[in-house]
């Protein structure tokens, strides 16, 4: 008997509660009507020169038929000012990635929230003949020890990474749609993924794939003779972690200061509460502006005063 192929839920972006529940249950889903065809076409055009200039990968992470546009948020104004700062993305990263903790200074309790920031943003363009990736978890860079939550159910806050993938073309099994194992975000670190457990995340234009960092997934094989599969990715982690992509060296101060404040914050140019990321006791944006600060004080305005 052939094993039943896992199904990925498809949910309209208007149904936020259902999207959140799907992520809790499965670790992933496809968000329908996330964006517009016009926006996708603009991002495709802005990324294309960098894809054309990219060189083949010689390691195991990407097939050699893949081309990449790194620093996507610095190179695509459309992606940065429309997708990166989309309210739905902020709602989901706040739910699953933000970290809030409390501690005492003396007898006064202080509570801080480190908001999610974009760890890496990149366009992947996978050409014909590309082999499938091996199933993997994207949070491997952050050395996460996954506890087995199969019997207890998912504990919100146990993941440190969240990914959003927006297709530049319709994705199919033939051109290498992402394969994933719904529910594998619940697995402990000792359980290995099997290919037969995975199913495809098929996407139309305007869809978006969202998954937790602990979900096993892989890019599929492109078995078409002439189709290229383009995918624009944004990966968010906690603000006090080191970002995978060093956007601070990839973009000049002049460029960063032209970005919206929301984009600057999402890319790590503000502080992670309460004190992570300052420069000479200034926020990064104050430093880039050359701001003259007369006096220094607590960075987090929400910090409670001692009684």
């Amino acid at each position: 008997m052939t094993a039943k192929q896992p199904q990925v839920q498809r949910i309209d972006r208007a149904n936020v509660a259902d999207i959140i529940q799907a992520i809790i249950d499965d670790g992933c889903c496809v968000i329908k009507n996330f964006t517009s065809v016009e926006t996708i076409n603009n991002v495709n055009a802005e990324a294309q020169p960098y894809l054309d200039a990219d060189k083949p990968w010689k390691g195991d992470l990407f097939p050699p038929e893949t081309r990449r546009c790194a620093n996507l948020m610095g190179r695509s104004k459309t992606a940065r000012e429309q997708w990166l700062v989309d309210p739905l993305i902020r709602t989901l990263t706040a739910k699953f990635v933000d970290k809030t903790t409390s501690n005492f200074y003396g007898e006064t309790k202080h509570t801080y929230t480190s908001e999610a920031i974009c760890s890496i943003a990149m366009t992947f363009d996978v050409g014909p003949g590309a082999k499938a990736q091996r199933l993997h978890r994207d949070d491997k860079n952050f050395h996460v020890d996954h506890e087995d939550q199969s019997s207890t159910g998912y504990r919100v806050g146990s993941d440190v990474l969240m990914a959003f993938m927006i297709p530049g073309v319709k994705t199919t099994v033939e051109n290498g749609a992402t394969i994933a194992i719904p529910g594998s975000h619940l697995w402990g670190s000792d359980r290995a993924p099997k290919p037969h457990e995975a199913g495809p995340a098929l996407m139309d234009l305007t869809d978006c794939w969202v998954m937790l960092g602990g979900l096993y997934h892989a890019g599929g094989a492109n078995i078409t003779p002439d189709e290229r599969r383009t995918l624009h990715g944004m990966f968010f982690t906690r603000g006090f972690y080191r970002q995978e992509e060093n956007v601070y060296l990839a973009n000049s101060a002049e460029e960063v200061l032209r970005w919206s404040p929301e984009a600057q914050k999402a890319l790590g140019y503000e502080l992670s509460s309460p004190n992570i990321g300052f420069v000479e006791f200034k926020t990064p944006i104050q430093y880039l502006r050359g701001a003259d600060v007369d006096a220094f004080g607590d960075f987090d305005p929400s910090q409670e005063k001692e009684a």
Side-chain angles (χ1 to χ4, degrees):
M1 180 180 294
T2 303
K4 185 178 179 180
Q5 192 173 60
Q7 297 296 309
V8 172
Q9 295 191 58
R10 294 178 52 81
I11 304 170
D12 192 90
R13 72 167 289 155
N15 301 324
V16 178
D18 291 343
I19 293 170
I20 290 174
Q21 191 60 51
I23 296 169
I24 290 172
D25 294 340
D26 296 342
C28 62
C29 74
V30 171
I31 302 172
K32 299 190 297 182
N33 300 311
F34 173 78
T35 188
S36 68
V37 173
E38 179 184 10
T39 300
I40 292 167
N41 289 338
N42 288 340
V43 177
N44 285 349
E46 289 165 347
Q48 192 60 52
Y50 304 99
L51 296 173
D52 292 340
D54 194 28
K55 298 178 181 179
W57 191 267
K58 293 185 178 181
D60 183 62
L61 186 59
F62 300 110
E65 296 84 1
T66 299
R67 298 294 179 269
R68 296 150 299 273
C69 169
N71 186 29
L72 178 62
M73 294 304 140
R75 290 168 165 172
S76 171
K77 179 180 179 180
T78 306
R80 181 179 69 245
E81 302 299 344
Q82 295 195 40
W83 292 344
L84 178 71
V85 299
D86 188 291
L88 177 58
I89 286 184
R90 181 65 198 118
T91 295
L92 296 178
T93 57
K95 175 70 175 180
F96 291 98
V97 181
D98 284 12
K99 180 71 172 178
T100 298
T101 54
S102 298
N103 61 76
F104 284 89
Y105 283 173
E107 296 182 12
T108 303
K109 189 175 185 179
H110 298 262
T111 299
Y112 308 106
T113 297
S114 177
E115 295 186 4
I117 58 173
C118 186
S119 176
I120 182 172
M122 183 180 298
T123 297
F124 309 87
D125 185 68
V126 184
K131 296 181 179 179
Q133 291 180 306
R134 289 183 286 178
L135 289 161
H136 62 280
R137 284 170 156 160
D138 277 346
D139 61 10
K140 60 186 182 299
N141 287 332
F142 298 104
H143 299 267
V144 177
D145 291 317
H146 285 274
E147 60 181 283
D148 188 345
Q149 301 179 68
S150 301
S151 59
T152 61
Y154 182 67
R155 179 171 58 83
V156 174
S158 57
D159 272 86
V160 304
L161 185 75
M162 194 171 205
F164 300 83
M165 308 289 283
I166 303 163
V169 298
K170 180 182 176 70
T171 65
T172 65
V173 171
E174 291 75 21
N175 68 14
T178 297
I179 60 173
I181 306 178
S184 59
H185 65 308
L186 302 173
W187 297 358
S189 295
D190 294 333
R191 179 172 173 178
K194 307 294 184 183
H196 72 268
E197 298 174 294
L202 306 179
M203 286 192 285
D204 295 320
L205 283 179
T206 76
D207 286 348
C208 175
W209 164 251
V210 57
M211 66 178 175
L212 295 171
L215 186 85
Y216 277 108
H217 71 286
N222 187 337
I223 61 174
T224 68
D226 55 7
E227 290 184 37
R228 301 195 68 87
R229 180 175 63 91
T230 305
L231 204 61
H232 307 290
M234 298 175 289
F235 302 78
F236 291 80
T237 191
R238 291 175 174 165
F240 56 88
Y241 282 169
R242 183 173 179 175
Q243 288 155 284
E244 184 173 351
E245 183 177 27
N246 196 323
V247 295
Y248 312 112
L249 295 181
N251 301 284
S252 68
E254 292 74 20
E255 291 170 323
V256 172
L257 290 174
R258 289 195 292 268
W259 300 351
S260 69
E262 294 82 6
Q264 292 168 344
K265 183 177 182 179
L267 286 163
Y269 286 86
E270 289 293 345
L271 300 190
S272 171
S273 177
N275 301 315
I276 298 295
F278 67 83
V279 188
E280 294 182 358
F281 298 108
K282 303 175 185 178
T283 70
I285 291 300
Q286 288 175 325
Y287 181 82
L288 292 181
R289 288 177 181 152
D292 185 17
V293 179
D294 293 331
F296 300 112
D298 294 332
F299 289 115
D300 191 329
S302 68
Q303 181 162 295
E304 302 172 26
K305 303 300 182 183
E306 187 172 4

